[in-house]
């Protein structure tokens, strides 16, 4: 039986993870669970997993039934709880520290939190090596690439192609996007996800983060990583090998497949996910429009700049998206914040946690100031 900790168990990824675990009671034992604000939902999960330690990260005030509280409590739980694997389904840069602590306490890491790789990828891989642990991507495209690349020599791979559904505004000119409301942007055509990633899918910042994530995860030059819009979300990514053959991973748009593959790794189990019928809609592939979706072009710019730039990309976008959701800035202003901040000077994080946290904090302060003064 694998002992599993699920971080962010009340979110979209977390809920899918809990459903899979419920489907395989013989294989997994849940030893701890965390949520940020949904206290009742967390307590309800304790009924199915009575042995699980509970962490509520959003408060420091004592709460009935909670074993640990706050950000520090989460780290302490990871230190004090023995487990084989941590599923990190926390949203945003808040996921980085728990990812680091999971590896330092010798647990494998099933990583949905892409911000961990974007902001701290190099540090994460050095820790995984040091503690001899595995980092398994849960993001559907990266899970697809991970499986497609298995057993291949890097020099035989000439291109990684990330697919993007294009989100709800794929056909909407940039000018028209100015009027987009949070409610419109939250409605994704193919996937049901948390609020932040849904907005990122509408601006294509999600694909931008995924380009940086793939670049850091698979250690291939940036020129070998490309994006194609594939509206049907059936092909989750492709690789091109040196002989110009393409290999792709096809499955229904359901996060349960990559989550289950990470949970069972290195095994592959039959899954209850929908059967993929290729005789359905025609599959189409298009080049993304970088003028209509500046966040995608800015991600390449951030990766090219390297050093602190991916942290700047991630942090400025996170602040801008939160402001958009509160109605403080417009949809097309999200990319203006990132575009401006990427061209500013930032300290080199030098792949240390302290360095990363310093850049992240400075970026957030500057993003707030920029929105106040310029937008
Ligand atoms: P949700 O917003 O649905 O869930 C986030 C989870 O994290 C919730 O359990 C929430 O707790 C918790 N949380 C929120 N803020 C904090 C914090 N500051 N500290 C600790 N915990 C916190 O997000 P998703 O499940 O959609 O996404 C999670 C991660 O997975 C993101 O990094 C996303 O990019 C990635 N991902 C998601 C996909 C999806 O299909 N949803 C697909 C691929 C990647 P509470 O509910 O109690 O507030
Ligand atoms: Mg994805």
């Amino acid at each position: 039986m694998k002992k599993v900790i699920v971080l962010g168990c009340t979110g979209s990824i977390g809920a899918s993870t809990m459903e899979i675990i419920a489907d395989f009671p013989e294989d997994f034992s849940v030893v701890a669970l965390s949520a940020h604000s949904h206290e009742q939902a967390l307590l309800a999960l304790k009924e199915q997993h009575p042995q699980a330690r509970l962490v509520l990260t959003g408060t420091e005030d004592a709460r009935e039934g909670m074993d640990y509280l706050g950000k520090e409590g989460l780290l302490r739980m990871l230190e004090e709880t023995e487990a084989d694997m941590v599923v990190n389904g926390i949203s945003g840069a808040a996921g980085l520290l728990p990812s680091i602590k999971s590896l330092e306490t010798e647990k494998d890491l099933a990583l949905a939190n892409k911000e961990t790789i974007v902001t701290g990828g190099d540090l994460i891989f050095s820790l995984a090596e040091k503690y001899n642990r595995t980092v398994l991507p849960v993001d559907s495209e990266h899970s697809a690439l991970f499986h497609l690349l298995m057993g291949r020599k890097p020099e035989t791979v000439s291109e990684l192609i990330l697919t993007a559904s294009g989100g709800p505004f794929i056909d909407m000119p940039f000018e028209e996007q100015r009027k987009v409301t949070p409610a419109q942007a939250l409605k994704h055509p193919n996937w049901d996800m948390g609020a932040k990633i849904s907005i990122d899918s509408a601006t294509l910042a999600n694909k931008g983060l995924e380009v940086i994530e793939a670049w850091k995860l698979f250690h291939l030059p940036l020129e070998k990583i490309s994006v194609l819009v594939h509206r049907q979300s059936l092909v989750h990514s492709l690789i091109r090998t040196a002989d110009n053959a393409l290999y792709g991973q096809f499955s229904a748009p359901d996060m349960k497949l990559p989550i289950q593959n990470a949970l069972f790794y290195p095994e592959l189990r039959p899954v209850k996910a929908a059967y993929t019928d290729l005789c359905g809609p025609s599959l189409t592939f298009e080049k993304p429009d970088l003028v209509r979706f500046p966040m995608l072009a800015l991600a390449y710019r951030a990766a090219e700049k390297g050093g602190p730039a991916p942290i700047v990309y991630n942090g400025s976008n996170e602040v801008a998206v939160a402001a958009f959701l509160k109605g403080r800035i417009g949809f097309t202003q999200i990319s203006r914040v990132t575009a401006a901040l990427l061209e500013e000077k930032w300290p080199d994080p030098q792949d240390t946690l302290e360095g990363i946290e310093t850049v992240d904090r400075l970026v957030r302060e500057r993003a707030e100031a920029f929105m106040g003064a310029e937008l």
Side-chain angles (χ1 to χ4, degrees), residues 114 139-142 163 191 197 206-207 210 213 255:
K114 59 192 80 183
D139 212 345
S140 55
E141 297 77 1
H142 305 74
T163 50
W191 298 92
I197 186 174
N206 182 50
K207 212 47 57 182
E210 291 183 356
E213 185 186 8
M255 286 307 294

Side-chain angles (χ1 to χ4, degrees), residues 2-6 28 31 83-87 107-110 136 262-265:
K2 244 186 210 176
K3 289 185 191 159
V4 180
I5 294 173
V6 184
F28 303 108
V31 292
D84 301 298
M85 176 176 276
V86 172
V87 179
K107 301 165 178 69
D108 288 339
L109 187 57
L136 298 155
L263 280 170
F264 276 114
Y265 182 82

Side-chain angles (χ1 to χ4, degrees), residues 54-368:
L54 300 189
V55 190
L56 192 66
T57 46
T59 180
E60 301 285 342
D61 302 332
R63 294 291 166 94
E64 184 123 2
M66 297 300 154
D67 301 295
Y68 298 90
L69 295 164
K71 192 172 147 185
E72 292 302 320
L74 178 62
L75 303 180
R76 220 156 18 85
M77 178 278 286
L78 288 167
E79 271 165 18
E80 294 171 2
T81 309
E82 197 202 310
D84 301 298
M85 176 176 276
V86 172
V87 179
N88 187 346
I90 292 175
S91 55
L96 174 64
L97 205 49
S99 290
I100 290 174
K101 187 59 90 181
S102 301
L103 294 170
E104 284 176 345
T105 54
E106 306 196 349
K107 301 165 178 69
D108 288 339
L109 187 57
L111 201 50
N113 181 266
K114 59 192 80 183
E115 296 84 352
T116 290
I117 301 291
V118 171
T119 61
D122 300 330
L123 174 60
I124 285 291
F125 294 118
S126 70
L127 288 173
E129 200 176 325
K130 179 172 172 195
Y131 293 98
N132 198 19
R133 303 320 306 186
T134 312
V135 178
L136 298 155
V138 168
D139 212 345
S140 55
E141 297 77 1
H142 305 74
S143 170
L145 291 168
F146 180 78
H147 288 96
L148 290 165
L149 290 168
M150 225 174 243
R152 288 186 195 278
K153 293 193 176 113
E155 60 274 20
T156 65
V157 178
S158 60
E159 191 180 7
L160 303 184
I161 305 172
L162 295 159
T163 50
S165 69
F169 310 128
I170 188 66
D171 294 316
M172 191 186 278
F174 188 75
E175 280 305 308
E176 254 178 68
Q177 291 179 22
R178 284 183 201 284
K179 295 183 289 235
V180 160
T181 64
Q184 287 171 311
L186 284 168
K187 273 208 195 93
H188 195 278
N190 304 358
W191 298 92
D192 180 16
M193 309 178 286
K196 159 73 171 41
I197 186 174
S198 297
I199 302 302
D200 285 351
S201 298
T203 60
L204 290 200
N206 182 50
K207 212 47 57 182
L209 290 167
E210 291 183 356
V211 165
I212 304 173
E213 185 186 8
W215 174 58
K216 296 212 172 195
L217 261 171
F218 302 117
H219 311 288
L220 282 173
L222 193 60
E223 321 73 84
K224 289 190 172 186
I225 302 174
S226 55
V227 172
L228 282 182
V229 174
H230 164 56
R231 296 172 189 240
Q232 299 78 26
S233 293
L234 280 178
V235 181
H236 297 289
S237 276
L238 304 114
I239 64 168
R240 188 187 298 276
T241 47
D243 52 3
N244 251 335
L246 286 168
Y247 298 83
Q249 188 257 314
F250 296 59
S251 60
D254 183 348
M255 286 307 294
K256 279 194 180 161
L257 182 69
I259 297 171
Q260 176 175 298
N261 282 340
L263 280 170
F264 276 114
Y265 182 82
E267 269 185 67
L268 199 141
R269 288 286 183 91
V271 55
K272 288 182 184 168
Y275 176 79
T276 313
D277 188 359
L278 277 182
C279 301
S282 305
L283 303 184
T284 56
F285 298 91
E286 306 150 59
K287 278 211 159 42
D289 182 337
L290 296 181
V291 175
R292 199 172 275 187
F293 297 102
M295 284 307 289
L296 184 54
L298 290 170
Y300 279 95
R301 173 97 182 116
E304 261 160 32
K305 282 180 151 248
I311 308 169
V312 178
Y313 181 85
N314 180 68
S316 59
N317 178 55
E318 222 170 284
V319 172
V321 168
F324 167 68
L325 283 170
K326 286 191 189 128
R328 281 175 53 205
I329 65 169
F331 184 75
T332 52
Q333 289 177 320
I334 296 174
S335 60
R336 280 189 53 199
V337 183
T338 302
L341 267 63
L342 268 181
E343 298 313 317
E344 296 184 4
K345 279 234 171 317
W346 302 96
D348 185 347
Q350 296 185 324
D351 296 332
T352 62
L353 176 61
E354 218 182 17
I356 296 165
E357 286 186 328
T358 302
V359 177
D360 187 60
R361 180 175 44 78
L362 292 172
V363 167
R364 281 161 204 271
E365 288 166 7
R366 177 71 190 112
E368 287 293 349

